[in-house]
Amino acid sequence: MILVQNLTKKHGKQTILEDISFKVDGGELVVIVGGSGAGKTTLIHALVGAEKVDSGSIKIDNYEINKLSTSQVQAYRRRIGIVFQDYKLLPKKTVFENVAFALEVSGHDKAFINQRTTEVLKITGLEERRNSFPRQLSGGEKQRVAIARALVHAPELLFADEPTGNLDPENTAALAKLFLKINKSGTTIILSTHNKEVVNILGGRVITLDKGKLISDKKRPTTK
Ligand SMILES: Nc1ncnc2c1ncn2[C@@H]1O[C@H](COP(=O)(O)OP(=O)(O)OP(=O)(O)O)[C@@H](O)[C@H]1O
Ligand SMILES: [Mg+2]
């Protein structure tokens, strides 16, 4: 599903990603770990087409990500889900509207939007919050809205960069379990974190970056 070959990216003289290669099959859950500045965000940005790399290639299904034009990147983005650390919710819209919005812009009819939005609010445990505004939510709830929004168009592939970065341990664990559930329902997930508890809960495959290099790629048993 994803084939990354010899990715290299530099900023001036600093090498941010150095000769990164890996392959991800459909249905996998891949956790990317590494210290601050290791290149996790840069790698995820490259995978979602938000940042170009200097050399190497990223093939995702039929897309050659590093070569897409702006309009092709937009088309590709509509097929994937992306969750960032800073939720980027629309403050004047309710939880329901924030999630439904992603379907409205792609022109679905009202009945479908209502049904599908209700379904993802249920998956993410937000049914009772559907009429709340972002300012009325906790950090964990806001992050779940961001996940619901990324899932609403049923992407096969979900990217999340440090999705538990702002959360307390309890919310962090709950969120990690939610990602596990989403993966078990068939969605391929690539997620970055530097939280050990998240890695333990998710188990599965862990790719470690260190100063832009991929230093290990291992499958781990899940402990929870
Ligand atoms: N636009 C930029 N210009 C110059 N250097 C940059 C730029 N963006 C990132 N970097 C550098 O690239 C390196 C990797 O950054 P990146 O944000 O990918 O790390 P990270 O692993 O996500 O770190 P964190 O855990 O702190 O989020 C860092 O040394 C950073 O300073
Ligand atoms: Mg980062």
Side-chain angles (χ1 to χ4, degrees), residues 11 14 16 34-43 51 161-162 194:
H11 271 300
Q14 194 192 353
I16 314 291
S36 187
K40 305 180 295 296
T41 297
T42 308
L43 177 58
E51 248 181 273
D161 185 26
E162 205 75 60
H194 44 220

Side-chain angles (χ1 to χ4, degrees), residues 74-137:
Q74 282 165 355
Y76 162 64
R77 293 270 188 88
R78 272 182 240 117
R79 301 192 39 185
I80 60 175
I82 310 179
V83 180
F84 291 112
Q85 186 176 348
D86 57 345
Y87 328 110
K88 295 193 168 80
L89 302 179
L90 301 164
K92 292 189 176 144
K93 289 188 185 285
T94 63
V95 165
F96 181 91
E97 290 162 348
N98 263 282
V99 176
F101 186 68
L103 291 176
E104 280 160 9
V105 295
S106 43
H108 290 281
D109 67 62
K110 253 200 160 125
F112 174 80
I113 292 173
N114 197 7
Q115 181 223 323
R116 177 62 191 160
T117 304
T118 303
E119 197 176 297
V120 289
L121 290 180
K122 199 168 163 189
I123 294 167
T124 48
L126 288 164
E127 287 155 299
E128 282 163 22
R129 287 302 204 172
R130 62 189 279 139
N131 297 319
S132 301
F133 289 91
R135 67 184 145 74
Q136 301 171 309
L137 304 176

